[in-house]
Amino acid sequence: MQADLCLRKFEYSSSCGVGCILQDVSDYLYRLLLTRMCSGTSGSGAYVGGVRPMVASEEVSHASDGGKLAIEDFCDMEQFEKIMREWASATGLATVAVGGDGAYVSGCYNFTEFCHGLTRKSPEGLRRCIECDKKGVGIYLCHAGLVDFAAPITLEDGTLLGNIVGGQVLPARPDKARFRATARELSIDEDAYIKALRKVSVRSEEQIEASLNLLANVINQFVRASYASYMDAAALRERSRIISSLSRIYFCDYYLDLENDRFIELDATPNLHEFVGSSGVSSVFVPSTIERFAEEAYRDDFLAFADLTTMRERMAGRPSISLEFPAIGIGWCRALFIAVDVDAEGKPRHVIYAIQDIQEEKRRDLEARQRLKAAADAAQRANEAKSDFLSRMSHDIRTPLNGIMGMTHIAELQDNPPRTQDCLAKIGVSSQFLLGLVNDVLDMSKVESGAIELHLEPYPFEDFTAYLDAVIRPLCAAKKQHFELVVDPRRQGVVPLLDRLRTSQVVFNILSNAVKYTPEGGTITYHVEEQLLAGRRIAFTHTVTDTGIGMSEGFMQHLFEPFVQEGRDDVSEQRGSGLGLAIVKRLIDAMGGTIEVASTQGVGTTFTVRLEFDYIDASSVPSEHSERHESETAGTALAGRHVLVCEDHPLNREIALALLSERGVKADVAGDGMAGVTRFVASPVDYYDCVLMDIRMPTMDGYAATEAIRALDRADAATVPIVAMTADAYSDDVDRCLRVGMDGHIAKPVEPAKLYELLTKLCAEGRPSAR
């Protein structure tokens, strides 16, 4: 207990029992201090020195830790009650102790009829009393005119456990007229109120203050001393539990004094106890056990780890350090040094040195690692098999599609009867639809596997609108729909950096859906708004609104799930793979954007897409539309050019030759990669203006053939343009083509316009510089 809480001498002429109280409390506190050095319980089970003994299952609850610590948890309440009772008897003042929850924890002493029999029985009086109780601190005048007091019961750290409240005395001779007025306000009989008032004691302010200080000091000393003893007993029990718990985890535990180079055994196996003893010099004990029990290959590392001369510096600011090592006859173990207390610099003064058997843990960890590796290998093999299957499926579907679409294109150039021309047009539309389904399935596979990579490049708005005119307007025109493009009039003079292909794919999928599900004569409105942001960023809001058939609220909950379509009685030609919007959602997520949808059946649907990109100044970017126009006007440059076609499929060869012949190109054919290399070797230098190279060919594939041509010792081997013309259409297929030395990629089914554009561009640019 602290000196500032010593008992103050108190004399009161009419209270001869106070001296007895002081003596009793002093004797009691002296006994309580003695008990703190003892076991904490007596043989009879009664409280010793006012401290209630703990039971094994009990946990200490601190108010500062969010618990609700109560006075009765650790105090001898009989002794507490005795102090309260004898103080009340000696002073004649009313008092009661109130716990933290507001409940009384002691008896009520000297409570007056004036307060409890009359004032608090009145509803208005009770309300006023409660207000006073809440606000009252120290010595104060209550609403009824009596002097009351309140003093906190606290622990040393300031934790509030409750309050001592009381008083109920008059500070001077009462003004009866004032008290009669109060009685009327509270609806109390005036005569009964005055009669009860005459029984209330009168005390001077000095007497009240001295009485309160005595009770507050005695009670707080009693409570704090009781709590300290309680916590000491709890600490001993906690230490015992800790050591017992440690022994279940660590087969040896030692307490090391790093400043004095001493250790004490807390727990150890019999052989360690016999080898080391119960205490001794730490700098001898630690190295000797390492030399004795650690496997030789790990001893040097273990000795460096356990070097006590550097331990304090190495553990500064760290709660613990550990090392795993194999022990002789045991297996894998873990050694730990755990800081117990530290100095002002964070360096430990004392540590726990413990060793844990982790052989079983290591075994489980190794098994888990092996299982994870096996699962990862299996997943990798499955992913590779899936990718290979999809690649082959893409190739095998695109190859016959190339024949269908190519021959349809050639047939349409002939002089056909109207009925035949109509059939060819419908074959072309159905072929494009089938190609779209194939692309959707392959795209979804790429997106789900996380293989989508965004390739950022400038995309001028003029090129974007040209794309809409070329792709979307014809779709609307075919269904006699009205397509309205509404562009933000505030042109910003900047060009966003984005993935052209993926952005166009998002817009196309949404707009084509609007076309598909909007009846003839309906309206599709596409509004584009842009806003410049800080950090050279630009935000786009794309809003697509149609007057189509709309969607139900239930279906919109699953709108972006793969292969999901609402069950409606629409015609089969309108149905696709159910992947378009799923791909849109994942692409937008990959771009860091958002998509929202609102729809009403029979009214229409609105999609809102928000995307942000970096931008550059428009003045530094040439328009792709103007470049394409220049390439198309230069298309006559293809006439007379020499092209080597390496293609093993007879139908694909026929289509390629027919397409090249349309532009006056002189083409030679090789049936596989080896034949293509032989044909190139046999040609004069600079004879071929370009090589169109299939990839999957017998004898030698397109990759190997390209590498073989590039490796030839002739002037044009490194410069002749080589273009892949293949059904391998994945982006990584394109990347591989470029890596082996090709200059471009044309996917099958071949679109004649794209083929002519690329060949024209390569011829117009001249030969690329040698690699």
Side-chain angles (χ1 to χ4, degrees):
M1 79 187 64
Q2 300 191 3
D4 62 348
L5 291 178
C6 63
L7 302 175
R8 54 184 291 178
K9 187 72 174 175
F10 177 73
E11 294 182 359
Y12 185 59
S13 58
S14 64
S15 304
C16 60
V18 171
C20 298
I21 297 175
L22 292 175
Q23 184 61 49
D24 286 349
V25 171
S26 297
D27 291 345
Y28 172 78
L29 293 176
Y30 175 72
R31 288 186 288 107
L32 184 58
L33 289 172
L34 289 178
T35 16
R36 293 179 62 182
M37 297 180 285
C38 302
S39 63
T41 57
S42 66
S44 64
Y47 298 173
V48 178
V51 183
R52 186 174 64 80
M54 293 181 65
V55 295
S57 61
E58 186 172 6
E59 297 293 337
V60 178
S61 176
H62 296 272
S64 59
D65 295 332
K68 293 182 179 179
L69 186 65
I71 296 170
E72 54 268 37
D73 288 340
F74 56 87
C75 282
D76 180 346
M77 296 310 294
E78 291 183 5
Q79 186 66 35
F80 187 96
E81 191 74 34
K82 180 181 179 183
I83 295 172
M84 296 287 291
R85 182 175 61 251
E86 293 187 358
W87 178 89
S89 175
T91 63
L93 302 181
T95 187
V96 67
V98 181
D101 59 357
Y104 290 171
V105 296
S106 76
C108 302
Y109 298 102
N110 295 334
F111 275 38
T112 66
E113 174 67 16
F114 179 84
C115 288
H116 281 262
L118 295 174
T119 303
R120 286 182 177 261
K121 290 293 180 63
S122 162
E124 175 60 20
L126 179 60
R127 186 190 67 78
R128 295 183 184 182
C129 288
I130 291 173
E131 289 297 318
C132 285
D133 291 344
K134 290 180 179 178
K135 298 177 181 178
V137 177
I139 299 172
Y140 59 94
L141 196 67
C142 80
H143 74 95
L146 302 189
V147 176
D148 286 342
F149 60 75
I153 304 173
T154 64
L155 298 179
E156 295 283 357
D157 63 0
T159 300
L160 180 65
L161 301 176
N163 289 281
I164 304 167
V165 295
Q168 299 185 15
V169 294
L170 288 165
R173 188 172 299 279
D175 180 356
K176 294 183 179 180
R178 176 186 177 283
F179 281 94
R180 286 184 179 278
T182 301
R184 288 193 297 272
E185 291 175 5
L186 304 181
S187 301
I188 300 174
D189 181 81
E190 294 181 31
D191 293 335
Y193 208 51
I194 297 302
K195 181 179 179 181
L197 180 65
R198 294 192 187 101
K199 298 179 182 180
V200 177
S201 301
V202 178
R203 293 286 188 275
S204 68
E205 183 178 347
E206 292 78 12
Q207 290 174 326
I208 296 172
E209 181 179 5
S211 299
L212 173 60
N213 288 339
L214 171 67
L215 181 60
N217 281 336
V218 171
I219 288 295
N220 274 288
Q221 286 185 78
F222 173 78
V223 169
R224 294 176 184 182
S226 298
Y227 182 72
S229 296
Y230 179 72
M231 291 305 296
D232 283 350
L236 288 173
R237 187 175 297 277
E238 184 65 20
R239 291 190 191 102
S240 176
R241 283 203 296 262
I242 290 172
I243 293 173
S244 177
S245 298
L246 287 174
S247 67
R248 291 193 292 270
I249 301 173
Y250 306 104
F251 60 79
C252 65
D253 314 286
Y254 298 90
Y255 182 79
L256 274 60
D257 182 341
L258 298 180
E259 293 179 325
N260 298 305
D261 195 23
R262 304 293 297 177
F263 79 90
I264 298 174
E265 176 192 289
L266 300 177
D267 187 43
T269 59
N271 60 332
L272 272 173
H273 176 75
E274 182 179 353
F275 180 71
V276 175
S278 299
S279 61
V281 179
S282 300
S283 58
V284 174
F285 144 65
V286 173
S288 63
T289 56
I290 294 173
E291 295 286 353
R292 174 74 177 269
F293 296 105
E295 289 193 3
E296 185 175 359
Y298 288 80
R299 286 176 190 165
D300 290 342
D301 289 342
F302 198 170
L303 289 169
F305 164 75
D307 184 0
L308 300 182
T309 62
T310 62
M311 180 69 66
R312 299 193 64 205
E313 285 70 23
R314 287 187 290 122
M315 288 191 66
R318 302 174 65 182
S320 65
I321 58 175
S322 64
L323 174 77
E324 295 180 357
F325 70 97
I328 298 173
I330 297 177
W332 280 97
C333 297
R334 180 182 293 118
L336 299 95
F337 287 94
I338 306 168
V340 175
D341 55 4
V342 298
D343 60 18
E345 297 178 352
K347 299 177 181 179
R349 293 191 179 97
H350 303 89
V351 297
I352 297 293
Y353 172 43
I355 299 179
Q356 177 185 8
D357 182 351
I358 60 169
Q359 180 63 27
E360 181 63 19
E361 178 184 326
K362 279 284 189 179
R363 183 189 65 78
R364 291 196 302 268
D365 182 61
L366 178 61
E367 290 179 352
R369 289 175 181 272
Q370 290 173 341
R371 287 195 299 270
L372 286 174
K373 185 178 184 305
D377 290 344
Q380 180 64 25
R381 288 192 299 271
N383 189 56
E384 290 174 355
K386 176 184 175 182
S387 297
D388 182 65
F389 167 75
L390 290 173
S391 178
R392 290 182 180 276
M393 184 181 75
S394 170
H395 180 275
D396 292 347
I397 294 176
R398 286 173 181 274
T399 297
L401 265 179
N402 184 59
I404 296 169
M405 298 177 74
M407 285 301 180
T408 301
H409 173 78
I410 293 171
E412 285 179 323
L413 298 177
Q414 311 303 313
D415 187 13
N416 300 306
R419 176 60 177 162
T420 303
Q421 197 68 26
D422 179 62
C423 291
L424 291 173
K426 290 179 179 177
I427 291 173
V429 170
S430 297
S431 300
Q432 288 290 348
F433 181 76
L434 179 58
L435 180 60
L437 295 180
V438 172
N439 289 336
D440 277 352
V441 172
L442 298 180
D443 276 343
M444 192 62 203
S445 173
K446 279 288 187 182
V447 170
E448 287 187 332
S449 65
I452 290 294
E453 295 181 2
L454 300 178
H455 303 282
L456 305 183
E457 59 180 322
Y459 197 4
F461 194 76
E462 295 76 11
D463 295 345
F464 180 61
T465 55
Y467 167 78
L468 295 177
D469 290 340
V471 177
I472 301 301
R473 288 192 185 278
L475 293 178
C476 294
K479 291 188 67 175
K480 298 180 177 59
Q481 296 166 337
H482 304 287
F483 178 65
E484 298 178 1
L485 175 61
V486 182
V487 180
D488 188 344
R490 299 170 299 166
R491 305 304 305 142
Q492 307 286 357
V494 299
V495 175
L497 296 174
L498 47 80
D499 188 311
R500 289 180 176 229
L501 174 63
R502 297 306 181 186
T503 303
S504 297
Q505 186 176 7
V506 166
V507 173
F508 175 80
N509 282 6
I510 295 175
L511 285 172
S512 64
N513 257 20
V515 172
K516 184 185 300 183
Y517 295 111
T518 298
E520 288 191 5
T523 300
I524 298 167
T525 304
Y526 179 27
H527 182 267
V528 183
E529 182 180 356
E530 60 185 47
Q531 179 183 5
L532 292 184
L533 307 175
R536 296 185 68 80
R537 298 277 289 174
I538 185 169
F540 286 96
T541 301
H542 303 261
T543 306
V544 176
T545 302
D546 65 53
T547 58
I549 60 178
M551 295 175 284
S552 66
E553 291 185 8
F555 175 70
M556 283 195 290
Q557 304 298 320
H558 307 280
L559 182 61
F560 298 112
E561 295 176 9
F563 306 108
V564 174
Q565 293 179 313
E566 188 165 17
R568 296 186 295 257
D569 297 327
D570 50 9
V571 296
S572 60
E573 286 81 0
Q574 290 182 331
R575 293 197 175 275
S577 62
L579 291 172
L581 290 177
I583 294 170
V584 164
K585 179 65 169 67
R586 284 156 176 78
L587 288 177
I588 290 174
D589 289 344
M591 292 186 239
T594 62
I595 181 170
E596 299 173 359
V597 60
S599 186
T600 303
Q601 284 185 302
V603 177
T605 301
T606 297
F607 283 91
T608 303
V609 176
R610 295 180 178 86
L611 297 167
E612 290 184 17
F613 307 101
D614 292 329
Y615 68 78
I616 59 177
D617 295 330
S619 58
S620 62
V621 182
S623 171
E624 182 188 89
H625 184 58
S626 62
E627 287 181 346
R628 185 181 297 117
H629 177 69
E630 293 173 2
S631 295
E632 289 172 354
T633 57
T636 54
L638 291 179
R641 296 287 183 173
H642 295 87
V643 174
L644 174 59
V645 179
C646 299
E647 172 63 67
D648 65 309
H649 197 286
L651 183 57
N652 288 341
R653 283 201 302 266
E654 183 179 350
I655 293 170
L657 292 176
L659 293 177
L660 293 173
S661 177
E662 285 182 29
R663 291 300 178 97
V665 176
K666 297 179 179 179
D668 295 326
V669 175
D672 57 58
M674 180 64 75
V677 174
T678 302
R679 190 95 185 213
F680 185 83
V681 170
S683 68
V685 174
D686 291 334
Y687 176 78
Y688 288 116
D689 296 283
C690 185
V691 177
L692 294 178
M693 184 74 71
D694 187 20
I695 297 300
R696 300 187 186 229
M697 297 183 290
T699 310
M700 179 182 287
D701 64 25
Y703 300 125
T706 299
E707 291 173 331
I709 291 175
R710 296 300 186 203
L712 294 173
D713 185 17
R714 52 184 281 168
D716 59 348
T719 61
V720 62
I722 303 177
V723 176
M725 190 166 68
T726 174
D728 290 337
Y730 273 177
S731 58
D732 46 5
D733 295 323
V734 177
D735 292 339
R736 185 178 178 187
C737 290
L738 299 178
R739 286 198 305 271
V740 299
M742 296 187 189
D743 301 285
H745 181 280
I746 292 289
K748 296 175 183 175
V750 175
E751 296 182 39
K754 289 186 177 180
L755 174 63
Y756 299 147
E757 182 183 346
L758 181 56
L759 291 178
T760 301
K761 180 180 178 181
L762 291 174
C763 291
E765 290 176 350
R767 307 293 176 128
S769 60
R771 292 161 177 78

